[in-house]
Amino acid sequence: MTSLPLLRVRNLSSEFVTTDGTVARALDDVSFDVHPGQTVGLVGESGCGKTTTLLSIMRLLPVSARITSGQVLFNGTDLLGLSEADMRRCRWKELAIVFQGAMNALNPVMTVGEQIREAILLHDLMDSSHATRRVDELLDMVGIAASRRDQYPHQYSGGMRQRAMIAMALACQPSLLFADEPTTALDVMVQAQILELLQKIQKLLGLAVVLVTHDLGVVAEVCDAVVVMYGGKVAENGPVDEVYNHPRHPYTQRLLEAFPDLNRPAGSLATIPGTPPRLNALPPGCRFAPRCHKAFDRCHIEAPVETGLGRGHTAACHLLEKTEAAK
Amino acid sequence: MNRRDYLLRKIFFSLVTLAIVVVLNFVLFRVLPGDPVRAVIGRNVRISADTQQALREQFGLDRPVFPDQFLTALGQWSRGNLGVSWSLRKPVGEVLVAKLGNTLLLIGLGQVLSIILGVALGLLAGWKRKTAVDVGALTFSLIAWAIPTFWLGIILLAAGSTWLGLPTGGIVSPSNVGKPLYTVLPDVAHHLILPTLTLTILYMGEYMLIMRSSIMEVLGEDYILTAKAKGMSHWQVLRRHALKNAMLPIVTLIAINLGFTVSGAIYVETVFSYDGLGKMFQTALVKQDYPLLQGAFLLLAVSVILANMLADILYTYLDPRVKAA
């Protein structure tokens, strides 16, 4: 990629204070780039910090959490350094987000049209009558008839709600769209429609998209780059082709093996034994070490650092440090 | 389902409830001990058995309870004739209407104040959760909710009359008794201070607690996060997205409380010798004035049913999902 990154996340760390008073390091030193028009997949098991990453970037963490260090450079401006008022102006106009499910992401007592209109008016983009017309345009773009503008979310199907959510996210013409598991809780046909819609809109508007998902197949299909997260850290990061064809981190390798592949339909799927670490009781060394089939002594003592592997591919594993050093 | 069908259904069920209440109200006062004739003539008056029998026939008590007496009662109730109070020797309807005005003045004022203050305090506490404001408001509300009504009334009565020189009871000063209330408003207001304060404190705690938990629940919803992500300030999020959703349980509570206010005033009106329905209720009980009690019960039931129906109607405007349910 030759263009300057639209979003540059550098060494972002966040922590939660849990109810029993312990501190959970939800994000540790997370770095990745998003270039204009690019789709980046953020994958990993539940609780590995994917959503926290998005919320940290948008500075929408709950009160029990805070960002401890790092930079979020958006078009060269550090969002973490903005005043709350400037950050508010930036939200939705520059960075919009589609939440998972959209079941409750829309206010049940407000019409869908009004919720979209509200975003336009909030950012003073146009007057009231133009805004209403814009709502119809947006709904049309996602395939919802303008006649359903004044209906409430409960009168929509799950897929329609998600499409309305996408229309809402596009209301202020952001340059970067976060999609936090946009297809969770939808049936398979609708999932495909939503992904197709996202892709269509991305091409149409030249949007950059960060897609949070569990589904590695979706990443392969939709994304240009992938960030694999584990236990609040980036395990592996790189272009999708690179990472899928040459996974270097044992976690990525196991993750890909656990995914069905049409080329080996007969084989049973691999599983990764164990569960991700609890973020308030992290292992001392590499966070994946307790579940890693290639772990050796050093893995349990010292955390690996990110190693550059060329062509924008990086991974954090002691095995790579050894091999790269040997070269 | 559209709004009309929903409302028709609610009205139908309200009428069914009313019918059941009317039957119960009739039955209850037939099974209670006591002889209406003896009550009317008084205890110590000697009246011949013949005269008593004549009276009994005049009242229709010689006829069977069902269906004759029931149908007669039903017919008279439906025409607004609730009978004659044994103790006051006045038509029950007339007595109820006179007392109801006074009670509505007191209760209405107390409810409005407690709703405004309680909701505001609950909103503040839920928003500033786990801060000193929250803990303070929560402590106050729990205490206010737990205090026995009569106890708070007596304490305020003692303190207010001793230190602030406020009147100890009644609706107006003795010199103004009998005058229409609107001609002596300052005096009425003066007398209302203490009972209103008592009611406000008592109900405020409940509103605060419900509002606090309601707003806390709503603030945790996904659509609140969406609103914040849109770039709204805390205040805008609260006003545009949280408030309406959080007010839904309060509407229910207001309806329930309004329904029971008439009876809820019994303690306060007794403590402050306030001449309203509550005090009348207490007197009627002590004097075993069955017609008056029967009328009061009917009024209570109707007001509870009406308040609930009102809440149901209001809900269709506040929550679009209700019609679909």
Side-chain angles (χ1 to χ4, degrees):
Chain A
M1 285 277 168
T2 47
S3 60
L4 276 172
L6 178 66
L7 179 75
R8 231 169 180 200
V9 179
R10 282 290 162 270
N11 310 103
L12 188 62
S13 301
S14 300
E15 60 187 29
F16 280 80
V17 179
T18 53
T19 39
D20 54 15
T22 55
V23 171
R25 301 211 58 184
L27 289 187
D28 190 7
D29 241 3
V30 170
S31 300
F32 63 93
D33 290 345
V34 181
H35 291 268
Q38 196 187 27
T39 306
V40 175
L42 212 55
V43 298
E45 284 162 275
S46 296
C48 68
K50 304 184 300 284
T51 301
T52 310
T53 305
L54 297 189
L55 294 182
S56 298
I57 293 170
M58 291 195 81
R59 286 173 53 184
L60 286 173
L61 288 174
V63 277
S64 58
R66 61 193 182 99
I67 297 164
T68 46
S69 63
Q71 276 186 314
V72 177
L73 297 167
F74 183 81
N75 273 329
T77 315
D78 187 2
L79 296 183
L80 303 185
L82 291 181
S83 70
E84 183 52 39
D86 285 337
M87 189 64 216
R88 279 206 301 271
R89 275 188 280 278
C90 176
R91 285 184 196 128
W92 223 252
K93 212 172 167 189
E94 305 292 348
L95 320 155
I97 184 163
V98 173
F99 289 106
Q100 58 178 263
M103 190 73 181
N104 297 315
L106 294 166
N107 188 336
V109 303
M110 205 187 262
T111 64
V112 173
E114 182 53 31
Q115 295 186 55
I116 300 176
R117 218 167 78 99
E118 166 186 80
I120 302 170
L121 296 176
L122 185 72
H123 291 279
D124 276 330
L125 297 179
M126 49 188 80
D127 64 48
S128 178
S129 62
H130 282 94
T132 308
R133 221 169 305 153
R134 170 96 177 122
V135 171
D136 291 347
E137 276 172 35
L138 287 162
L139 288 175
D140 182 57
M141 199 189 291
V142 298
I144 295 175
S147 60
R148 307 200 63 165
R149 183 186 65 209
D150 296 326
Q151 292 191 342
Y152 292 92
H154 74 268
Q155 292 164 295
Y156 278 36
S157 68
M160 276 181 83
R161 274 198 288 262
Q162 194 56 287
R163 276 185 278 158
M165 188 74 209
I166 291 171
M168 186 155 88
L170 301 174
C172 302
Q173 293 176 299
S175 43
L176 180 57
L177 179 68
F178 293 143
D180 188 359
E181 298 185 34
T183 58
T184 305
L186 298 177
D187 67 62
V188 182
M189 282 307 292
V190 180
Q191 284 187 11
Q193 286 170 12
I194 295 290
L195 285 172
E196 219 167 275
L197 176 69
L198 270 176
Q199 275 186 295
K200 185 191 101 184
I201 277 162
Q202 179 179 25
K203 290 213 179 75
L204 196 70
L205 305 176
L207 271 174
V209 174
V210 176
L211 179 68
V212 167
T213 179
H214 298 286
D215 192 335
L216 292 170
V218 167
V219 173
E221 197 181 327
V222 177
C223 298
D224 304 304
V226 59
V227 179
V228 181
M229 293 190 71
Y230 187 83
K233 278 177 98 78
V234 174
E236 188 158 4
N237 177 6
V240 167
D241 291 346
E242 262 298 306
V243 174
Y244 274 52
N245 292 324
H246 311 286
R248 303 295 292 273
H249 195 287
Y251 179 57
T252 319
Q253 289 165 1
R254 299 312 292 262
L255 215 52
L256 287 169
E257 281 165 23
F259 197 74
D261 185 346
L262 283 177
N263 297 323
R264 47 173 174 83
S268 61
L269 291 175
T271 55
I272 309 176
T275 52
R278 282 174 49 208
L279 295 170
N280 56 353
L282 290 168
C286 173
R287 292 175 182 192
F288 187 57
R291 298 170 74 189
C292 184
H293 59 301
K294 291 180 181 169
F296 52 99
D297 292 350
R298 193 174 158 204
C299 299
H300 296 285
I301 301 159
E302 189 189 333
V305 293
E306 243 175 85
T307 314
L309 303 162
R311 280 170 295 195
H313 192 174
T314 63
C317 179
H318 287 310
L319 285 168
L320 299 171
E321 287 165 34
K322 279 208 299 200
T323 53
E324 289 298 305
K327 273 184 190 171
Chain B
M1 187 185 283
N2 59 32
R3 174 171 281 134
R4 204 182 58 109
D5 289 350
Y6 172 81
L7 290 184
L8 283 178
R9 205 173 53 141
K10 287 293 172 190
I11 290 170
F12 172 73
F13 281 115
S14 295
L15 289 176
V16 171
T17 317
L18 186 65
I20 295 171
V21 162
V22 164
V23 173
L24 279 179
N25 204 22
F26 178 83
V27 171
L28 183 64
F29 286 95
R30 302 313 123 175
V31 296
L32 280 175
D35 180 357
V37 172
R38 288 221 70 85
V40 166
I41 57 184
R43 282 184 194 173
N44 298 319
V45 184
R46 285 171 175 274
I47 284 186
S48 69
D50 284 353
T51 319
Q52 286 189 25
Q53 186 55 35
L55 273 170
R56 216 162 254 128
E57 276 164 28
Q58 193 193 331
F59 288 151
L61 293 169
D62 56 331
R63 285 180 289 144
V65 171
F66 192 87
D68 294 43
Q69 287 192 30
F70 179 67
L71 290 178
T72 311
L74 215 57
Q76 295 200 341
W77 288 350
S78 64
R79 268 175 269 124
N81 181 0
L82 297 174
V84 175
S85 157
W86 293 344
S87 63
L88 300 170
R89 317 255 162 197
K90 274 191 212 162
V92 168
E94 212 173 274
V95 178
L96 288 180
V97 167
K99 308 285 178 183
L100 184 65
N102 293 346
T103 294
L104 282 181
L105 179 68
L106 172 62
I107 297 292
L109 209 58
Q111 281 291 327
V112 167
L113 281 174
S114 59
I115 290 168
I116 292 174
L117 293 173
V119 165
L121 200 63
L123 205 59
L124 189 72
W127 194 17
K128 304 275 176 204
R129 194 178 163 185
K130 288 182 182 168
T131 60
V133 179
D134 182 25
V135 175
L138 196 59
T139 312
F140 168 80
S141 299
L142 282 171
I143 292 173
W145 203 20
I147 288 180
T149 310
F150 68 91
W151 186 83
L152 180 68
I154 290 168
I155 295 294
L156 286 177
L157 177 68
S161 58
T162 314
W163 293 320
L164 303 172
L166 289 167
T168 52
I171 292 181
V172 287
S173 307
S175 58
N176 286 329
V177 170
K179 294 179 189 169
L181 289 188
Y182 57 85
T183 58
V184 285
L185 278 183
D187 191 35
V188 173
H190 203 218
H191 281 77
L192 270 174
I193 294 175
L194 285 178
T196 307
L197 187 66
T198 312
L199 279 173
T200 306
I201 292 175
L202 284 170
Y203 280 100
M204 203 176 135
E206 193 181 3
Y207 285 118
M208 183 275 172
L209 290 170
I210 300 288
M211 190 63 195
R212 177 180 177 272
S213 68
S214 173
I215 194 78
M216 269 166 33
E217 194 184 316
V218 168
L219 286 179
E221 295 280 355
D222 290 345
Y223 55 82
I224 296 299
L225 191 61
T226 307
K228 282 185 196 158
K230 280 184 190 171
M232 294 188 144
S233 66
H234 287 301
W235 177 244
Q236 284 168 321
V237 170
L238 201 65
R239 195 171 53 89
R240 284 193 59 94
H241 288 276
L243 207 52
K244 201 174 165 192
N245 284 293
M247 281 301 283
L248 292 173
I250 293 287
V251 172
T252 311
L253 186 62
I254 291 174
I256 294 171
N257 279 346
L258 283 185
F260 287 113
T261 38
V262 180
S263 54
I266 293 178
Y267 290 116
V268 173
E269 287 185 359
T270 306
V271 168
F272 291 97
S273 316
Y274 189 93
D275 190 19
L277 271 184
K279 189 154 168 284
M280 179 214 80
F281 220 0
Q282 190 244 4
T283 320
L285 265 176
V286 171
K287 296 195 172 163
Q288 294 193 357
D289 190 342
Y290 289 170
L292 194 53
L293 280 175
Q294 184 174 268
F297 275 17
L298 202 61
L299 180 69
L300 279 186
V302 169
S303 59
V304 170
I305 292 169
L306 269 183
N308 276 298
M309 208 170 76
L310 232 104
D312 283 336
I313 295 171
L314 203 58
Y315 248 80
T316 64
Y317 289 96
L318 285 173
D319 190 343
R321 288 167 299 184
V322 166
K323 280 171 283 168

